[in-house]
Amino acid sequence: MRNATARTYRAAYWLTSRLQDGLAEARRRPDRGDISTTTVIIWVAAVTGAVLIAGSIAVVIAKYNGKISGL
C-alpha cells in the first residue's frame, strides 16, 4: 500500500509540475503557433472525404462480392 501511495504522489507531482511548466511557457511565448481554423476545416474535409471513399468502396465490394469472387 505504501508503494502505491508513493507512486500516486510522484504521478501527481509530475503532472502538476508539467502543467506549471506549460502555463509558464504559454505566458512567456503567447504566439506559440496555435492551429488555425482553416487548418481544422481542411483536416475535417480530408477525413470526411477519406471516410466517404472507403464507405463507397465497401458498398461496391459488398454489392458485387459474389460476381467478382472468381477473379
Short mmCIF file of all heavy atoms in Angstrom, two decimals:
data_model
loop_
_atom_site.label_atom_id
_atom_site.label_comp_id
_atom_site.label_asym_id
_atom_site.label_seq_id
_atom_site.Cartn_x
_atom_site.Cartn_y
_atom_site.Cartn_z
N MET A 1 0.82 -1.19 0.00
CA MET A 1 0.00 0.00 0.00
C MET A 1 0.87 1.26 0.00
O MET A 1 0.55 2.22 -0.64
CB MET A 1 -0.92 -0.05 1.22
CG MET A 1 -1.86 1.13 1.28
SD MET A 1 -2.98 1.15 -0.09
CE MET A 1 -4.49 0.96 0.74
N ARG A 2 1.98 1.18 0.72
CA ARG A 2 2.86 2.33 0.83
C ARG A 2 3.49 2.67 -0.53
O ARG A 2 3.66 3.83 -0.87
CB ARG A 2 3.93 2.02 1.86
CG ARG A 2 4.87 3.13 2.12
CD ARG A 2 5.75 2.80 3.27
NE ARG A 2 5.19 3.51 4.42
CZ ARG A 2 5.70 3.52 5.61
NH1 ARG A 2 6.75 2.81 5.88
NH2 ARG A 2 5.17 4.22 6.58
N ASN A 3 3.82 1.63 -1.30
CA ASN A 3 4.42 1.82 -2.61
C ASN A 3 3.43 2.50 -3.57
O ASN A 3 3.80 3.36 -4.35
CB ASN A 3 4.90 0.49 -3.18
CG ASN A 3 5.82 0.66 -4.36
OD1 ASN A 3 6.29 1.76 -4.63
ND2 ASN A 3 6.08 -0.42 -5.06
N ALA A 4 2.17 2.09 -3.52
CA ALA A 4 1.15 2.68 -4.38
C ALA A 4 0.94 4.15 -4.02
O ALA A 4 0.76 4.99 -4.91
CB ALA A 4 -0.15 1.91 -4.25
N THR A 5 0.99 4.46 -2.75
CA THR A 5 0.84 5.85 -2.31
C THR A 5 1.99 6.70 -2.83
O THR A 5 1.79 7.82 -3.30
CB THR A 5 0.77 5.92 -0.78
OG1 THR A 5 -0.29 5.08 -0.33
CG2 THR A 5 0.53 7.33 -0.29
N ALA A 6 3.20 6.17 -2.76
CA ALA A 6 4.37 6.90 -3.25
C ALA A 6 4.28 7.12 -4.75
O ALA A 6 4.59 8.21 -5.25
CB ALA A 6 5.64 6.14 -2.89
N ARG A 7 3.83 6.09 -5.48
CA ARG A 7 3.70 6.26 -6.94
C ARG A 7 2.64 7.28 -7.28
O ARG A 7 2.80 8.08 -8.21
CB ARG A 7 3.37 4.92 -7.59
CG ARG A 7 4.59 4.06 -7.79
CD ARG A 7 4.23 2.87 -8.60
NE ARG A 7 3.31 2.05 -7.78
CZ ARG A 7 3.09 0.78 -7.95
NH1 ARG A 7 3.66 0.15 -8.94
NH2 ARG A 7 2.28 0.12 -7.17
N THR A 8 1.53 7.27 -6.55
CA THR A 8 0.47 8.24 -6.78
C THR A 8 0.96 9.65 -6.50
O THR A 8 0.68 10.57 -7.27
CB THR A 8 -0.75 7.92 -5.89
OG1 THR A 8 -1.17 6.59 -6.16
CG2 THR A 8 -1.89 8.87 -6.15
N TYR A 9 1.71 9.82 -5.44
CA TYR A 9 2.27 11.12 -5.10
C TYR A 9 3.22 11.60 -6.20
O TYR A 9 3.16 12.75 -6.63
CB TYR A 9 3.01 11.07 -3.76
CG TYR A 9 3.69 12.36 -3.42
CD1 TYR A 9 2.97 13.45 -2.96
CD2 TYR A 9 5.07 12.49 -3.59
CE1 TYR A 9 3.60 14.64 -2.66
CE2 TYR A 9 5.71 13.67 -3.29
CZ TYR A 9 4.97 14.75 -2.83
OH TYR A 9 5.60 15.94 -2.54
N ARG A 10 4.10 10.70 -6.67
CA ARG A 10 5.04 11.08 -7.74
C ARG A 10 4.30 11.45 -9.02
O ARG A 10 4.66 12.41 -9.69
CB ARG A 10 6.03 9.95 -8.01
CG ARG A 10 7.14 9.84 -6.99
CD ARG A 10 8.27 8.95 -7.46
NE ARG A 10 7.86 7.61 -7.82
CZ ARG A 10 7.84 6.57 -7.00
NH1 ARG A 10 8.24 6.72 -5.76
NH2 ARG A 10 7.46 5.39 -7.42
N ALA A 11 3.25 10.69 -9.36
CA ALA A 11 2.49 10.99 -10.57
C ALA A 11 1.78 12.33 -10.46
O ALA A 11 1.78 13.13 -11.41
CB ALA A 11 1.47 9.88 -10.84
N ALA A 12 1.20 12.62 -9.29
CA ALA A 12 0.53 13.90 -9.09
C ALA A 12 1.53 15.04 -9.13
O ALA A 12 1.26 16.10 -9.71
CB ALA A 12 -0.22 13.89 -7.76
N TYR A 13 2.70 14.84 -8.53
CA TYR A 13 3.74 15.86 -8.56
C TYR A 13 4.22 16.11 -9.98
O TYR A 13 4.39 17.26 -10.39
CB TYR A 13 4.91 15.44 -7.66
CG TYR A 13 6.03 16.44 -7.65
CD1 TYR A 13 5.92 17.60 -6.89
CD2 TYR A 13 7.19 16.24 -8.39
CE1 TYR A 13 6.95 18.54 -6.87
CE2 TYR A 13 8.21 17.17 -8.39
CZ TYR A 13 8.07 18.31 -7.64
OH TYR A 13 9.08 19.24 -7.63
N TRP A 14 4.43 15.04 -10.75
CA TRP A 14 4.89 15.19 -12.13
C TRP A 14 3.86 15.93 -12.96
O TRP A 14 4.19 16.84 -13.72
CB TRP A 14 5.15 13.81 -12.74
CG TRP A 14 5.55 13.88 -14.18
CD1 TRP A 14 6.80 14.13 -14.68
CD2 TRP A 14 4.70 13.72 -15.32
NE1 TRP A 14 6.77 14.13 -16.06
CE2 TRP A 14 5.49 13.88 -16.47
CE3 TRP A 14 3.35 13.47 -15.48
CZ2 TRP A 14 4.97 13.80 -17.75
CZ3 TRP A 14 2.83 13.38 -16.76
CH2 TRP A 14 3.64 13.56 -17.87
N LEU A 15 2.58 15.55 -12.81
CA LEU A 15 1.51 16.19 -13.57
C LEU A 15 1.40 17.67 -13.22
O LEU A 15 1.26 18.52 -14.11
CB LEU A 15 0.19 15.47 -13.31
CG LEU A 15 -1.00 15.90 -14.14
CD1 LEU A 15 -0.73 15.66 -15.62
CD2 LEU A 15 -2.24 15.14 -13.72
N THR A 16 1.49 17.98 -11.94
CA THR A 16 1.40 19.38 -11.50
C THR A 16 2.57 20.19 -12.04
O THR A 16 2.38 21.31 -12.53
CB THR A 16 1.38 19.45 -9.96
OG1 THR A 16 0.30 18.66 -9.49
CG2 THR A 16 1.20 20.86 -9.47
N SER A 17 3.77 19.63 -11.98
CA SER A 17 4.93 20.37 -12.47
C SER A 17 4.87 20.56 -13.99
O SER A 17 5.25 21.61 -14.50
CB SER A 17 6.23 19.69 -12.06
OG SER A 17 6.34 18.42 -12.66
N ARG A 18 4.37 19.54 -14.72
CA ARG A 18 4.22 19.68 -16.18
C ARG A 18 3.22 20.78 -16.52
O ARG A 18 3.44 21.58 -17.43
CB ARG A 18 3.74 18.38 -16.81
CG ARG A 18 4.79 17.36 -17.06
CD ARG A 18 5.73 17.74 -18.14
NE ARG A 18 5.13 17.56 -19.45
CZ ARG A 18 5.62 18.06 -20.55
NH1 ARG A 18 6.71 18.77 -20.53
NH2 ARG A 18 5.05 17.85 -21.70
N LEU A 19 2.12 20.83 -15.78
CA LEU A 19 1.10 21.84 -16.00
C LEU A 19 1.66 23.23 -15.72
O LEU A 19 1.46 24.16 -16.50
CB LEU A 19 -0.13 21.57 -15.13
CG LEU A 19 -1.28 22.55 -15.27
CD1 LEU A 19 -1.83 22.52 -16.70
CD2 LEU A 19 -2.37 22.23 -14.28
N GLN A 20 2.40 23.37 -14.64
CA GLN A 20 3.00 24.65 -14.31
C GLN A 20 4.02 25.08 -15.36
O GLN A 20 4.09 26.25 -15.75
CB GLN A 20 3.66 24.60 -12.93
CG GLN A 20 2.66 24.55 -11.81
CD GLN A 20 3.31 24.33 -10.46
OE1 GLN A 20 4.51 24.01 -10.38
NE2 GLN A 20 2.53 24.47 -9.41
N ASP A 21 4.83 24.14 -15.85
CA ASP A 21 5.80 24.45 -16.91
C ASP A 21 5.08 24.89 -18.19
O ASP A 21 5.51 25.83 -18.86
CB ASP A 21 6.67 23.24 -17.21
CG ASP A 21 7.64 22.91 -16.09
OD1 ASP A 21 7.82 23.77 -15.19
OD2 ASP A 21 8.19 21.79 -16.10
N GLY A 22 4.01 24.20 -18.53
CA GLY A 22 3.25 24.57 -19.73
C GLY A 22 2.62 25.94 -19.62
O GLY A 22 2.65 26.73 -20.58
N LEU A 23 2.08 26.26 -18.46
CA LEU A 23 1.48 27.58 -18.27
C LEU A 23 2.55 28.67 -18.30
O LEU A 23 2.33 29.75 -18.85
CB LEU A 23 0.71 27.62 -16.95
CG LEU A 23 -0.57 26.79 -16.93
CD1 LEU A 23 -1.17 26.78 -15.52
CD2 LEU A 23 -1.58 27.31 -17.93
N ALA A 24 3.72 28.39 -17.71
CA ALA A 24 4.81 29.36 -17.75
C ALA A 24 5.28 29.61 -19.18
O ALA A 24 5.54 30.74 -19.58
CB ALA A 24 5.97 28.89 -16.88
N GLU A 25 5.36 28.54 -19.97
CA GLU A 25 5.75 28.67 -21.38
C GLU A 25 4.71 29.46 -22.16
O GLU A 25 5.05 30.28 -23.01
CB GLU A 25 5.95 27.29 -22.00
CG GLU A 25 6.34 27.28 -23.45
CD GLU A 25 7.74 27.80 -23.71
OE1 GLU A 25 8.53 27.89 -22.77
OE2 GLU A 25 8.03 28.13 -24.88
N ALA A 26 3.44 29.24 -21.88
CA ALA A 26 2.38 29.98 -22.57
C ALA A 26 2.43 31.46 -22.21
O ALA A 26 2.17 32.32 -23.07
CB ALA A 26 1.02 29.38 -22.21
N ARG A 27 2.76 31.77 -20.97
CA ARG A 27 2.89 33.18 -20.59
C ARG A 27 4.13 33.80 -21.24
O ARG A 27 4.12 34.96 -21.63
CB ARG A 27 2.98 33.30 -19.07
CG ARG A 27 1.66 33.21 -18.37
CD ARG A 27 1.77 33.59 -16.90
NE ARG A 27 2.64 32.70 -16.14
CZ ARG A 27 2.25 31.57 -15.57
NH1 ARG A 27 1.00 31.19 -15.68
NH2 ARG A 27 3.11 30.83 -14.91
N ARG A 28 5.18 33.02 -21.35
CA ARG A 28 6.43 33.54 -21.92
C ARG A 28 6.32 33.74 -23.43
O ARG A 28 6.82 34.72 -23.97
CB ARG A 28 7.58 32.57 -21.60
CG ARG A 28 8.96 33.11 -21.95
CD ARG A 28 10.05 32.16 -21.49
NE ARG A 28 10.07 30.92 -22.23
CZ ARG A 28 10.63 30.75 -23.44
NH1 ARG A 28 11.20 31.76 -24.03
NH2 ARG A 28 10.61 29.58 -24.02
N ARG A 29 5.65 32.80 -24.11
CA ARG A 29 5.50 32.87 -25.57
C ARG A 29 4.04 32.72 -25.95
O ARG A 29 3.58 31.63 -26.27
CB ARG A 29 6.27 31.73 -26.23
CG ARG A 29 7.74 31.90 -26.26
CD ARG A 29 8.42 30.87 -27.12
NE ARG A 29 7.68 29.61 -27.21
CZ ARG A 29 7.77 28.77 -28.23
NH1 ARG A 29 8.56 29.04 -29.22
NH2 ARG A 29 7.09 27.65 -28.24
N PRO A 30 3.28 33.79 -25.95
CA PRO A 30 1.85 33.68 -26.25
C PRO A 30 1.57 33.32 -27.72
O PRO A 30 0.49 32.84 -28.04
CB PRO A 30 1.28 35.05 -25.90
CG PRO A 30 2.45 35.97 -25.93
CD PRO A 30 3.66 35.15 -25.60
N ASP A 31 2.53 33.52 -28.60
CA ASP A 31 2.35 33.20 -30.02
C ASP A 31 2.98 31.86 -30.36
O ASP A 31 3.82 31.74 -31.23
CB ASP A 31 2.95 34.30 -30.90
CG ASP A 31 4.43 34.48 -30.64
OD1 ASP A 31 4.90 34.03 -29.58
OD2 ASP A 31 5.11 35.04 -31.51
N ARG A 32 2.55 30.81 -29.70
CA ARG A 32 3.21 29.52 -29.81
C ARG A 32 2.73 28.68 -30.97
O ARG A 32 2.99 27.49 -31.04
CB ARG A 32 3.09 28.75 -28.50
CG ARG A 32 1.67 28.44 -28.11
CD ARG A 32 1.63 27.84 -26.73
NE ARG A 32 0.31 27.43 -26.37
CZ ARG A 32 -0.66 28.23 -25.95
NH1 ARG A 32 -0.43 29.51 -25.85
NH2 ARG A 32 -1.84 27.76 -25.65
N GLY A 33 1.97 29.25 -31.91
CA GLY A 33 1.60 28.54 -33.11
C GLY A 33 0.35 27.69 -32.97
O GLY A 33 0.37 26.51 -33.31
N ASP A 34 -0.70 28.26 -32.47
CA ASP A 34 -1.96 27.52 -32.36
C ASP A 34 -2.47 27.15 -33.75
O ASP A 34 -2.19 27.82 -34.74
CB ASP A 34 -3.02 28.35 -31.64
CG ASP A 34 -2.70 28.54 -30.17
OD1 ASP A 34 -1.98 27.68 -29.64
OD2 ASP A 34 -3.16 29.52 -29.58
N ILE A 35 -3.25 26.08 -33.82
CA ILE A 35 -3.80 25.62 -35.09
C ILE A 35 -4.87 26.60 -35.55
O ILE A 35 -5.75 26.98 -34.79
CB ILE A 35 -4.39 24.21 -34.93
CG1 ILE A 35 -3.31 23.22 -34.56
CG2 ILE A 35 -5.09 23.77 -36.20
CD1 ILE A 35 -3.83 21.83 -34.28
N SER A 36 -4.79 27.01 -36.79
CA SER A 36 -5.76 27.95 -37.31
C SER A 36 -7.06 27.24 -37.68
O SER A 36 -7.11 26.02 -37.86
CB SER A 36 -5.21 28.67 -38.55
OG SER A 36 -5.10 27.76 -39.62
N THR A 37 -8.11 28.02 -37.83
CA THR A 37 -9.42 27.49 -38.19
C THR A 37 -9.37 26.86 -39.58
O THR A 37 -10.00 25.81 -39.81
CB THR A 37 -10.47 28.62 -38.16
OG1 THR A 37 -10.43 29.24 -36.88
CG2 THR A 37 -11.85 28.10 -38.42
N THR A 38 -8.62 27.46 -40.48
CA THR A 38 -8.51 26.91 -41.83
C THR A 38 -7.90 25.52 -41.82
O THR A 38 -8.36 24.63 -42.53
CB THR A 38 -7.64 27.86 -42.69
OG1 THR A 38 -8.16 29.18 -42.61
CG2 THR A 38 -7.62 27.41 -44.13
N THR A 39 -6.89 25.32 -41.00
CA THR A 39 -6.26 24.01 -40.91
C THR A 39 -7.24 22.96 -40.40
O THR A 39 -7.30 21.84 -40.92
CB THR A 39 -5.04 24.08 -39.97
OG1 THR A 39 -4.15 25.08 -40.45
CG2 THR A 39 -4.32 22.75 -39.90
N VAL A 40 -8.04 23.33 -39.42
CA VAL A 40 -9.03 22.40 -38.88
C VAL A 40 -10.06 22.05 -39.94
O VAL A 40 -10.44 20.89 -40.11
CB VAL A 40 -9.71 23.00 -37.63
CG1 VAL A 40 -10.87 22.14 -37.17
CG2 VAL A 40 -8.70 23.16 -36.51
N ILE A 41 -10.51 23.03 -40.70
CA ILE A 41 -11.50 22.79 -41.76
C ILE A 41 -10.93 21.86 -42.82
O ILE A 41 -11.59 20.93 -43.29
CB ILE A 41 -11.97 24.13 -42.38
CG1 ILE A 41 -12.80 24.90 -41.35
CG2 ILE A 41 -12.76 23.90 -43.66
CD1 ILE A 41 -13.12 26.31 -41.77
N ILE A 42 -9.68 22.08 -43.21
CA ILE A 42 -9.04 21.23 -44.22
C ILE A 42 -8.92 19.79 -43.71
O ILE A 42 -9.20 18.83 -44.43
CB ILE A 42 -7.66 21.80 -44.61
CG1 ILE A 42 -7.85 23.09 -45.40
CG2 ILE A 42 -6.85 20.79 -45.40
CD1 ILE A 42 -6.58 23.87 -45.64
N TRP A 43 -8.51 19.59 -42.45
CA TRP A 43 -8.38 18.25 -41.89
C TRP A 43 -9.73 17.55 -41.80
O TRP A 43 -9.85 16.36 -42.12
CB TRP A 43 -7.73 18.30 -40.51
CG TRP A 43 -6.24 18.26 -40.60
CD1 TRP A 43 -5.38 19.30 -40.48
CD2 TRP A 43 -5.44 17.11 -40.85
NE1 TRP A 43 -4.10 18.87 -40.64
CE2 TRP A 43 -4.10 17.53 -40.87
CE3 TRP A 43 -5.72 15.76 -41.07
CZ2 TRP A 43 -3.05 16.66 -41.09
CZ3 TRP A 43 -4.68 14.90 -41.28
CH2 TRP A 43 -3.36 15.34 -41.29
N VAL A 44 -10.77 18.28 -41.39
CA VAL A 44 -12.10 17.67 -41.30
C VAL A 44 -12.58 17.26 -42.69
O VAL A 44 -13.13 16.17 -42.88
CB VAL A 44 -13.10 18.64 -40.62
CG1 VAL A 44 -14.53 18.16 -40.77
CG2 VAL A 44 -12.75 18.79 -39.15
N ALA A 45 -12.36 18.10 -43.68
CA ALA A 45 -12.76 17.77 -45.05
C ALA A 45 -11.99 16.56 -45.58
O ALA A 45 -12.56 15.69 -46.23
CB ALA A 45 -12.54 18.98 -45.96
N ALA A 46 -10.71 16.49 -45.29
CA ALA A 46 -9.90 15.36 -45.76
C ALA A 46 -10.35 14.05 -45.11
O ALA A 46 -10.48 13.02 -45.79
CB ALA A 46 -8.42 15.63 -45.45
N VAL A 47 -10.59 14.08 -43.82
CA VAL A 47 -11.03 12.86 -43.12
C VAL A 47 -12.41 12.44 -43.60
O VAL A 47 -12.67 11.26 -43.84
CB VAL A 47 -11.00 13.08 -41.59
CG1 VAL A 47 -11.68 11.94 -40.86
CG2 VAL A 47 -9.56 13.24 -41.12
N THR A 48 -13.31 13.42 -43.78
CA THR A 48 -14.65 13.10 -44.28
C THR A 48 -14.58 12.50 -45.67
O THR A 48 -15.27 11.51 -45.97
CB THR A 48 -15.51 14.38 -44.30
OG1 THR A 48 -15.55 14.93 -42.98
CG2 THR A 48 -16.93 14.08 -44.76
N GLY A 49 -13.75 13.06 -46.54
CA GLY A 49 -13.58 12.51 -47.88
C GLY A 49 -13.04 11.10 -47.86
O GLY A 49 -13.51 10.22 -48.60
N ALA A 50 -12.07 10.85 -47.00
CA ALA A 50 -11.50 9.50 -46.91
C ALA A 50 -12.54 8.50 -46.42
O ALA A 50 -12.63 7.37 -46.92
CB ALA A 50 -10.30 9.52 -45.97
N VAL A 51 -13.36 8.90 -45.45
CA VAL A 51 -14.40 8.01 -44.94
C VAL A 51 -15.45 7.73 -46.02
O VAL A 51 -15.90 6.59 -46.18
CB VAL A 51 -15.05 8.60 -43.67
CG1 VAL A 51 -16.31 7.87 -43.28
CG2 VAL A 51 -14.06 8.59 -42.51
N LEU A 52 -15.82 8.75 -46.77
CA LEU A 52 -16.79 8.56 -47.85
C LEU A 52 -16.25 7.63 -48.94
O LEU A 52 -16.97 6.77 -49.45
CB LEU A 52 -17.19 9.91 -48.45
CG LEU A 52 -18.09 10.78 -47.59
CD1 LEU A 52 -18.29 12.14 -48.23
CD2 LEU A 52 -19.43 10.10 -47.36
N ILE A 53 -15.00 7.81 -49.31
CA ILE A 53 -14.40 6.94 -50.32
C ILE A 53 -14.33 5.50 -49.82
O ILE A 53 -14.68 4.56 -50.55
CB ILE A 53 -13.00 7.47 -50.72
CG1 ILE A 53 -13.14 8.77 -51.51
CG2 ILE A 53 -12.24 6.43 -51.53
CD1 ILE A 53 -11.83 9.49 -51.73
N ALA A 54 -13.89 5.31 -48.59
CA ALA A 54 -13.81 3.96 -48.03
C ALA A 54 -15.19 3.32 -47.94
O ALA A 54 -15.36 2.13 -48.22
CB ALA A 54 -13.15 4.00 -46.66
N GLY A 55 -16.18 4.11 -47.57
CA GLY A 55 -17.55 3.59 -47.50
C GLY A 55 -18.07 3.20 -48.86
O GLY A 55 -18.74 2.17 -49.01
N SER A 56 -17.79 4.01 -49.87
CA SER A 56 -18.23 3.70 -51.23
C SER A 56 -17.58 2.41 -51.74
O SER A 56 -18.24 1.57 -52.36
CB SER A 56 -17.88 4.85 -52.18
OG SER A 56 -18.53 6.03 -51.78
N ILE A 57 -16.31 2.26 -51.47
CA ILE A 57 -15.62 1.04 -51.88
C ILE A 57 -16.22 -0.17 -51.17
O ILE A 57 -16.43 -1.22 -51.79
CB ILE A 57 -14.10 1.16 -51.60
CG1 ILE A 57 -13.49 2.19 -52.55
CG2 ILE A 57 -13.41 -0.18 -51.75
CD1 ILE A 57 -12.05 2.54 -52.23
N ALA A 58 -16.53 -0.03 -49.88
CA ALA A 58 -17.12 -1.14 -49.13
C ALA A 58 -18.49 -1.52 -49.68
O ALA A 58 -18.83 -2.70 -49.79
CB ALA A 58 -17.22 -0.78 -47.65
N VAL A 59 -19.28 -0.52 -50.06
CA VAL A 59 -20.61 -0.79 -50.63
C VAL A 59 -20.49 -1.51 -51.97
O VAL A 59 -21.20 -2.49 -52.23
CB VAL A 59 -21.41 0.52 -50.78
CG1 VAL A 59 -22.64 0.33 -51.65
CG2 VAL A 59 -21.80 1.06 -49.41
N VAL A 60 -19.59 -1.06 -52.82
CA VAL A 60 -19.40 -1.70 -54.13
C VAL A 60 -18.91 -3.13 -53.95
O VAL A 60 -19.38 -4.05 -54.63
CB VAL A 60 -18.42 -0.87 -55.00
CG1 VAL A 60 -18.01 -1.63 -56.24
CG2 VAL A 60 -19.06 0.46 -55.38
N ILE A 61 -17.97 -3.34 -53.06
CA ILE A 61 -17.46 -4.70 -52.84
C ILE A 61 -18.56 -5.60 -52.29
O ILE A 61 -18.70 -6.75 -52.71
CB ILE A 61 -16.23 -4.67 -51.91
CG1 ILE A 61 -15.04 -4.09 -52.67
CG2 ILE A 61 -15.90 -6.05 -51.38
CD1 ILE A 61 -13.80 -3.91 -51.83
N ALA A 62 -19.37 -5.07 -51.37
CA ALA A 62 -20.46 -5.88 -50.81
C ALA A 62 -21.50 -6.21 -51.87
O ALA A 62 -22.04 -7.32 -51.91
CB ALA A 62 -21.11 -5.13 -49.65
N LYS A 63 -21.76 -5.28 -52.77
CA LYS A 63 -22.77 -5.48 -53.81
C LYS A 63 -22.33 -6.52 -54.84
O LYS A 63 -23.10 -7.36 -55.27
CB LYS A 63 -23.08 -4.15 -54.50
CG LYS A 63 -24.18 -4.23 -55.53
CD LYS A 63 -24.49 -2.86 -56.10
CE LYS A 63 -25.60 -2.97 -57.13
NZ LYS A 63 -25.90 -1.65 -57.70
N TYR A 64 -21.09 -6.44 -55.25
CA TYR A 64 -20.58 -7.31 -56.32
C TYR A 64 -19.69 -8.43 -55.79
O TYR A 64 -18.90 -9.00 -56.53
CB TYR A 64 -19.82 -6.49 -57.35
CG TYR A 64 -20.70 -5.51 -58.08
CD1 TYR A 64 -20.64 -4.15 -57.81
CD2 TYR A 64 -21.62 -5.95 -59.03
CE1 TYR A 64 -21.46 -3.24 -58.47
CE2 TYR A 64 -22.45 -5.06 -59.68
CZ TYR A 64 -22.35 -3.71 -59.40
OH TYR A 64 -23.17 -2.83 -60.05
N ASN A 65 -19.78 -8.77 -54.54
CA ASN A 65 -18.90 -9.75 -53.93
C ASN A 65 -19.03 -11.12 -54.61
O ASN A 65 -18.03 -11.78 -54.90
CB ASN A 65 -19.19 -9.88 -52.43
CG ASN A 65 -18.09 -10.62 -51.72
OD1 ASN A 65 -16.98 -10.74 -52.23
ND2 ASN A 65 -18.39 -11.12 -50.55
N GLY A 66 -20.23 -11.56 -54.87
CA GLY A 66 -20.42 -12.87 -55.50
C GLY A 66 -19.96 -12.91 -56.94
O GLY A 66 -19.46 -13.93 -57.43
N LYS A 67 -20.06 -11.79 -57.65
CA LYS A 67 -19.70 -11.75 -59.06
C LYS A 67 -18.19 -11.64 -59.29
O LYS A 67 -17.70 -12.09 -60.32
CB LYS A 67 -20.39 -10.56 -59.74
CG LYS A 67 -21.90 -10.71 -59.73
CD LYS A 67 -22.54 -9.52 -60.37
CE LYS A 67 -24.06 -9.64 -60.29
NZ LYS A 67 -24.74 -8.49 -60.82
N ILE A 68 -17.46 -11.08 -58.34
CA ILE A 68 -16.02 -10.93 -58.55
C ILE A 68 -15.21 -11.95 -57.75
O ILE A 68 -13.99 -11.89 -57.73
CB ILE A 68 -15.56 -9.49 -58.17
CG1 ILE A 68 -15.82 -9.19 -56.69
CG2 ILE A 68 -16.19 -8.47 -59.05
CD1 ILE A 68 -15.23 -7.86 -56.24
N SER A 69 -15.88 -12.89 -57.13
CA SER A 69 -15.15 -13.87 -56.31
C SER A 69 -14.30 -14.81 -57.14
O SER A 69 -13.36 -15.39 -56.66
CB SER A 69 -16.12 -14.66 -55.43
OG SER A 69 -16.99 -15.41 -56.25
N GLY A 70 -14.60 -14.97 -58.43
CA GLY A 70 -13.84 -15.87 -59.28
C GLY A 70 -12.60 -15.26 -59.89
O GLY A 70 -11.88 -15.91 -60.63
N LEU A 71 -12.32 -13.99 -59.62
CA LEU A 71 -11.17 -13.34 -60.24
C LEU A 71 -9.87 -13.82 -59.68
O LEU A 71 -9.55 -14.05 -58.65
CB LEU A 71 -11.27 -11.82 -60.10
CG LEU A 71 -12.39 -11.18 -60.89
CD1 LEU A 71 -12.39 -9.67 -60.62
CD2 LEU A 71 -12.21 -11.42 -62.38
#
